[in-house]
Amino acid sequence: MPDPLAEIVTLLQPSAPFTKRASASGPWRVRRTDLAQALYVLTIAGRANLELDNRPPILLQTGDFALVPAAQAFTMSSVDPPPPPGLLNLPLRLDDGTYRLGPPDAPPQVQQLLGHCVFASPDAALLVPLLPDVVVVRGADRLGVLAGLVADEALAERPARDIVLQRLLEVLLIEALRARAETQASPGLLRGLHDPRLSSVLRQIHAAPARGWTVAELARAAGLSRSAFFTRFQREVGLPPMDYLMNWRMTLAKDLLRHGRLGIAEIATRVGYGSASAFSTAFSRRVGCPPAQYAAQHGGSVSADAQATLLG
């Protein structure tokens, strides 16, 4: 049976445009407000505070790994000693390619590996909200190894570098997301998969997206009444079950249109529509353009039978 988490991470098409090793001493604080990317931080030694807007500070200690799938802004600061109000530092790039905060000749009190991750998928806006807002894993030995491999590959110029980086990042993200976080995840796929009643339902949806699912049928699969299932699914996953199913069908359809050479009718069947016209109508309403036009705009192609639906 397909693994929903693995499918979503793979479809996100992660890449690593920037990774760095940083050390710090004394009081320090850095802030980024223009990131709009996934952020991951591995604390190799020492302690630091990670602050995300509208959240209390998160203390990161030696061996801790933090992942923020959609970081718009963040602040990182010293703990021992705390920075004075208003202090902001600019990292200094050293000759060895690492970055330094505080006096460059002082013994480092904190060492971290930081990386930014971008998602190449055009469907990232649909998929990222299914992930937790932030994940913190304590004593993340396996994640430390993976993060080190990502950094090593990102800083090197080896053949097939981009492909290796994408695969390493997929494993890194899956490992971080499936690890037990210290706090309850925000509503999304991860919380749904940890709910014993909803996990099997989500896996069944991903295993058979073309099936004519109803709320009543999904509720029976979860062993709940229809109203209890609807309320629980929306609370844990963050959207109603039929909206989740529709989003997943459209995500699969767009992926097939971008990368496949299938006709509209075959794609319609694969994502649960009885006819090409019904699929085209639903796709246009959801995406804003007909399927064949979407394929042409995103470098895909469809077989000859689809061309007549380009404008309808």
Side-chain angles (χ1 to χ4, degrees):
M1 186 175 289
D3 185 321
L5 181 59
E7 284 189 306
I8 285 175
V9 170
T10 301
L11 283 174
L12 280 170
Q13 302 172 40
S15 62
F18 183 74
T19 184
K20 66 180 180 181
R21 298 178 187 272
S23 61
S25 60
W28 56 273
R29 182 188 289 114
V30 291
R31 178 161 175 80
R32 288 286 304 272
T33 59
D34 57 346
L35 191 58
Q37 298 174 349
L39 166 73
Y40 58 91
V41 182
L42 174 69
T43 301
I44 301 169
R47 305 197 302 167
N49 274 328
L50 171 63
E51 296 179 58
L52 306 170
D53 289 351
N54 303 316
R55 283 180 173 270
I58 300 170
L59 177 63
L60 299 179
Q61 306 184 79
T62 301
D64 291 350
F65 181 90
L67 169 69
V68 187
Q72 298 297 324
F74 75 93
T75 301
M76 195 81 69
S77 61
S78 58
V79 176
D80 308 310
L87 175 66
L88 283 177
N89 301 78
L90 290 176
L92 172 66
R93 192 177 191 278
L94 303 180
D95 292 340
D96 61 1
T98 64
Y99 288 78
R100 178 71 170 175
L101 293 162
D105 54 347
Q109 296 170 299
V110 181
Q111 298 180 58
Q112 291 183 315
L113 174 64
L114 302 94
H116 302 158
C117 177
V118 297
F119 300 125
S121 170
D123 303 319
L126 285 176
L127 297 172
V128 170
L130 295 175
L131 305 178
D133 294 337
V134 59
V135 172
V136 178
V137 184
R138 303 296 186 187
D141 293 340
R142 284 165 58 89
L143 285 165
V145 173
L146 287 168
L149 288 172
V150 169
D152 179 68
E153 191 67 30
L155 297 172
E157 291 293 337
R158 302 187 181 101
R161 171 182 174 273
D162 291 343
I163 295 176
V164 172
L165 263 178
Q166 181 175 342
R167 296 296 179 262
L168 283 172
L169 280 168
E170 288 172 0
V171 176
L172 177 69
L173 293 176
I174 291 171
E175 181 69 20
L177 291 167
R178 73 181 184 181
R180 184 176 298 276
E182 67 164 25
T183 56
Q184 188 179 33
S186 54
L189 178 66
L190 198 63
R191 219 162 89 175
L193 289 173
H194 280 101
D195 185 304
R197 297 276 187 163
L198 301 182
S199 177
S200 62
V201 170
L202 287 163
R203 293 178 188 278
Q204 288 181 58
I205 288 174
H206 281 251
R211 184 170 171 175
W213 297 106
T214 64
V215 173
E217 188 176 8
L218 293 171
R220 285 194 297 272
L224 297 167
S225 69
R226 179 172 174 168
S227 60
F229 168 73
F230 186 94
T231 301
R232 188 162 171 167
F233 193 100
Q234 184 161 2
R235 182 184 70 237
E236 299 300 317
V237 181
L239 69 170
M242 289 298 104
D243 282 11
Y244 182 91
L245 175 61
M246 173 66 76
N247 284 350
W248 184 240
R249 284 174 170 173
M250 290 299 129
T251 298
L252 292 176
K254 288 192 281 187
D255 188 59
L256 290 169
L257 287 165
R258 288 193 303 268
H259 302 109
R261 304 186 67 85
L262 304 177
I264 297 296
E266 186 173 353
I267 293 175
T269 299
R270 290 195 181 194
V271 296
Y273 290 87
S275 68
S277 60
F279 166 64
S280 183
T281 299
F283 188 94
S284 299
R285 185 181 302 117
R286 201 83 172 186
V287 179
C289 66
Q293 183 179 332
Y294 177 88
Q297 290 173 348
H298 290 82
S301 61
V302 291
S303 59
D305 75 298
Q307 301 308 314
T309 68
L310 181 60
L311 300 176

